Amino acid sequence: MNFTPVDNSGRVDGYLLVKSVEQKTSSKGDTYLDFTLGDADGEINGKLWRYDALEHGEYKANDIIKVRGTVSQYNGADQLRIERIRITNEADNVHIEDFVRSADYSSEQMFDELMNIAESFKDEELKLLVTTILSDNRLKLLYWPAAYHLHHAVRGGLLMHTLSIVRLAQAVCGIYTFVDKELLIAGATLHDISKLDEFVVSETGLAESYSVEGNLLGHLAMGASKIDAYAKKLGISEKTAILVEHMILSHHGEPEFGAAVRPMFIEAELLSELDLMDSRVYEMRDAVSSVSPQDFSQRIWALDNRKFFNHTRIDLNNGTKLF
């Protein structure tokens, strides 16, 4: 946890995100608050003893607070005994991204890059379709995760995953010059757009659960339906719309992985392969970055139950060569 020592007595203070809070009664009959608090480094249990709402204020999940207290061991784990507590304000200059795992890049920059790429399309139908959908969903896209668990399940993860695939698509089209570059990029940009409807997401940018629609329909079916609705509203030809819809319905590759159909043209196949590649590379990096040098990760069930080796040749955060 990111605490700052207050003095030589062992007291610390810092800013933390309230992940959960429950009012309880002690064995002596006193009211206290039991917190789960966290930042980007981890979690800690916190106790505010002899709690009084008028004196201490009221708190709820997703509040960012400033606390002062003492950390001690309880049942083998750190526990924070809270002495002072308050909700943060603008003068504290703290941001939610400091307290939850977030994308590697600024959400505003990622969104702008995707918009600039789409606005450069020569195909007017694809340009109109992609830019309109991006614009209409901008606010959610700036913080939405790409998954409930698994790959890119971080604040801004959906934009990060999308932009990674778009950049991969640009590189692939430099090799396979016969590929319809704008069609591939349009499909890459929109392939997960209905993850915005699939998850229930808190203001932290982390998914709390699947939505009813997400459970019953899934983002592939909802995504194809969204493209169809936008195409009709914008006057996009059925010939163009059906290609993008097919790319969304088939980007999981195989029916056993959720695809409604298998990819049936080159750009759809490339999107499926690039989506799989980006998700797997992210999962591998995530697994390896949490283990010691020259050691193996735990087995990752989403990656064929394999474990991965941290060879330490490259810094996984910035790509710097270590030796």
Side-chain angles (χ1 to χ4, degrees):
M1 309 300 297
N2 190 19
F3 288 124
T4 301
V6 174
D7 49 36
N8 294 328
S9 69
R11 289 188 300 165
V12 296
D13 63 16
Y15 297 97
L16 295 168
L17 175 73
V18 177
K19 295 194 170 184
S20 68
V21 56
E22 185 177 357
Q23 183 172 309
K24 296 183 177 181
T25 303
S26 71
S27 59
K28 297 180 180 180
D30 294 328
T31 299
Y32 70 97
L33 292 185
D34 186 17
F35 289 92
T36 299
L37 303 169
D39 59 18
D41 295 327
E43 293 184 356
I44 191 170
N45 175 255
K47 296 286 195 298
L48 177 59
W49 299 104
R50 297 179 181 176
Y51 167 68
D52 180 272
L54 293 177
E55 177 186 354
H56 298 107
E58 296 185 1
Y59 303 93
K60 63 184 185 303
N62 300 326
D63 283 341
I64 300 175
I65 58 174
K66 185 173 185 180
V67 295
R68 175 172 292 182
T70 305
V71 177
S72 59
Q73 284 278 307
Y74 180 75
N75 286 340
D78 285 344
Q79 184 179 92
L80 175 67
R81 183 185 180 95
I82 299 170
E83 299 172 5
R84 297 171 62 181
I85 182 171
R86 67 169 173 83
I87 297 287
T88 55
N89 54 49
E90 283 191 18
D92 291 309
N93 194 31
V94 294
H95 308 282
I96 191 67
E97 293 87 347
D98 301 325
F99 301 92
V100 297
R101 293 186 63 197
S102 301
D104 294 350
Y105 319 108
S106 155
S107 290
E108 288 78 6
Q109 291 175 349
M110 291 189 289
F111 181 88
D112 290 346
E113 183 171 341
L114 288 171
M115 279 293 289
N116 289 337
I117 291 169
E119 287 171 347
S120 72
F121 286 177
K122 294 179 181 178
D123 186 307
E124 293 298 330
E125 288 194 324
L126 290 176
K127 178 195 294 187
L128 179 61
L129 181 66
V130 175
T131 57
T132 302
I133 292 177
L134 286 178
S135 296
D136 286 354
N137 293 278
R138 180 179 182 275
L139 292 180
K140 278 189 173 182
L141 283 167
L142 289 178
Y143 69 94
W144 218 257
Y148 181 33
H149 295 303
L150 302 179
H151 75 90
H152 298 86
V154 298
R155 182 181 177 87
L158 181 55
L159 274 180
M160 180 179 171
H161 175 55
T162 300
L163 181 58
S164 294
I165 297 177
V166 167
R167 290 172 172 174
L168 287 168
Q170 291 175 315
V172 163
C173 289
I175 300 170
Y176 303 127
T177 57
F178 51 83
V179 171
D180 187 324
K181 182 177 181 180
E182 292 183 358
L183 178 61
L184 176 57
I185 291 175
T189 304
L190 300 176
H191 80 289
D192 274 347
I193 193 63
S194 279
K195 286 190 173 182
L196 298 176
D197 309 303
E198 188 174 33
F199 306 127
V200 176
V201 173
S202 74
E203 59 194 82
T204 63
L206 303 181
E208 297 181 332
S209 65
Y210 283 89
S211 66
V212 173
E213 298 86 349
N215 274 313
L216 293 177
L217 302 174
H219 69 278
L220 279 71
M222 289 191 291
S225 178
K226 186 185 292 286
I227 299 303
D228 180 63
Y230 267 96
K232 289 175 179 175
K233 181 175 70 173
L234 298 172
I236 305 296
S237 68
E238 184 178 349
K239 179 180 179 181
T240 296
I242 199 170
L243 293 177
V244 179
E245 290 170 41
H246 174 77
M247 295 173 78
I248 291 175
L249 288 170
S250 66
H251 79 265
H252 281 188
E254 299 292 334
E256 64 182 293
F257 301 130
V261 291
R262 291 183 174 90
M264 294 185 186
F265 52 84
I266 291 173
E267 292 77 13
E269 177 68 20
L270 284 171
L271 173 58
S272 176
E273 295 293 337
L274 295 178
D275 180 51
L276 179 63
M277 180 173 123
D278 186 58
S279 64
R280 286 190 166 187
V281 168
Y282 184 93
E283 285 287 320
M284 290 177 187
R285 186 189 78 162
D286 203 38
V288 171
S289 63
S290 64
V291 300
S292 302
Q294 301 297 304
D295 202 355
F296 287 89
S297 72
Q298 297 294 316
R299 293 188 181 275
I300 311 300
W301 71 266
L303 296 171
D304 308 312
N305 208 33
R306 287 177 285 164
K307 55 185 180 180
F308 297 93
F309 182 60
N310 184 7
H311 56 63
T312 66
R313 289 173 57 87
I314 295 289
D315 187 319
L316 294 171
N317 293 312
N318 57 31
T320 303
K321 193 168 180 62
L322 298 177
F323 70 87

